[in-house]
Amino acid sequence: MKIAAKKSLGQNFLINQGIIDKIIKAGEIYPEDIIIEVGPGTGNLTRTLIETGARVIAIEKDHRLIEDLEAEFSAVQIEIVEADVLELKTETLIENWELRNGNYKIIANLPYYITSHFIRTVFEEWPQPLHMVLMVQKEVAKRILAKPPEMNLLALSVQYYAQPEIITQVSRGSFRPIPTVDSAVIRLTPRTEYSLPVEKEALFFSILKSAFGGKRKQLINTLPPIIGKNKQGTAELLAQIGLTPQTRPETVDLAHWLILVNSL
Ligand code: SAM
């Protein structure tokens, strides 16, 4: 590459073709698909992506890379878009690219500094993709797939919206420049079976934030202000769903949080 990689944009380019092939396979891509690729960079993943025959929309923030991408991919069914993916308006996705719930897929070797923000933006603001296959830091993959007693806010937020799976672990040597951490490819498949009505959904996230945010994390200390009950009322509610006042949020699974919210 002629241009120096920018650390601030998470530019660690994937040079392991075996991993690229696994990402494409996990994407289950057909010629009639619409694929959003975030951060095509120097085109390493894009090159294999276009072999599927799908329509690719590749969104790259770094102006320095755009000209080469356009030159290399001008003859194929791909749109190179110079933009910050976090700043795309939902109307642009719908009007320019005809994205709808369930008519497209996301494939990305994500710049790590945007991982959580990007996932949240897609779930909260974008039409829902059929699935997203994402390269993320290994530690983040582990946090997303956590189970009790190691639950965390990220796991509950992602698991509420989607079914997460690990596709493969990826060692740091698969990238240039070599990053300081290992990675993993995950697939997130959106689901609606846990969907709460809008006001309950807002309450669900507020409850989780208080439960995981406080220093004294026993539920009897963190829940009362947010659910509008005193300690006795809170203890009774917890007992009804089989939890004790001393329960800590890391030990509670998604199903129990949903029962708690639905019983308010
Ligand atoms: N897909 C290439 C690969 O696998 O080798 C590059 C992946 S590199 C980890 C991340 C890419 O995302 C970089 O090209 C970087 O410039 C781009 N990028 C960083 N922040 C972005 C943002 N907010 N919106 C769109 N692209 C971004």
Side-chain angles (χ1 to χ4, degrees), residues 16-141:
N16 182 333
Q17 187 61 41
I19 298 295
I20 292 174
D21 292 343
K22 282 188 184 168
I23 293 174
I24 303 296
K25 185 161 178 242
E28 295 171 357
I29 302 167
Y30 302 98
E32 60 274 20
D33 280 340
I34 304 176
I35 306 293
I36 297 284
E37 186 193 356
V38 182
T42 48
N44 297 5
L45 187 54
T46 321
R47 240 160 256 132
T48 306
L49 198 49
I50 57 171
E51 286 171 10
T52 63
R55 172 181 167 210
V56 177
I57 298 156
I59 300 157
E60 174 56 60
K61 183 174 177 179
D62 189 349
H63 176 71
R64 303 172 309 159
L65 303 171
I66 300 294
E67 202 180 320
D68 281 357
L69 286 167
E70 282 177 343
E72 177 172 355
F73 297 113
S74 62
V76 290
Q77 195 178 332
I78 180 168
E79 207 172 317
I80 308 289
V81 180
E82 182 179 349
D84 181 332
V85 75
L86 298 176
E87 288 178 7
L88 289 176
K89 300 257 176 303
T90 308
E91 302 84 75
T92 308
L93 306 172
I94 296 172
E95 286 162 22
N96 294 15
W97 305 320
E98 291 127 22
L99 301 192
R100 306 272 181 270
N101 283 336
N103 82 338
Y104 76 105
K105 297 166 182 169
I106 297 175
I107 306 285
N109 173 10
L110 275 187
Y112 294 151
Y113 77 103
I114 69 167
T115 305
S116 310
H117 194 162
F118 175 71
I119 292 175
R120 197 172 62 239
T121 302
V122 172
F123 287 144
E124 291 180 3
E125 296 171 23
W126 287 29
Q128 291 308 283
L130 282 160
H131 55 235
M132 0 188 191
V133 180
L134 307 174
M135 178 81 74
V136 301
Q137 279 184 40
K138 187 174 163 184
E139 277 313 304
V140 173

Side-chain angles (χ1 to χ4, degrees), residues 239-255:
Q240 274 171 31
I241 59 175
L243 301 175
T244 68
Q246 288 73 38
T247 302
R248 302 178 82 82
E250 297 86 353
T251 64
V252 181
D253 64 12
L254 177 62

Side-chain angles (χ1 to χ4, degrees), residues 16 49 51 94 104 108 146 159 175 188 192 208 212 214 229 238 260 264:
N16 182 333
L49 198 49
E51 286 171 10
I94 296 172
Y104 76 105
Q159 292 175 21
F175 303 88
L188 304 178
T192 50
L208 293 183
F212 283 95
K229 291 188 188 289
L238 290 171
L260 188 143
L264 289 169

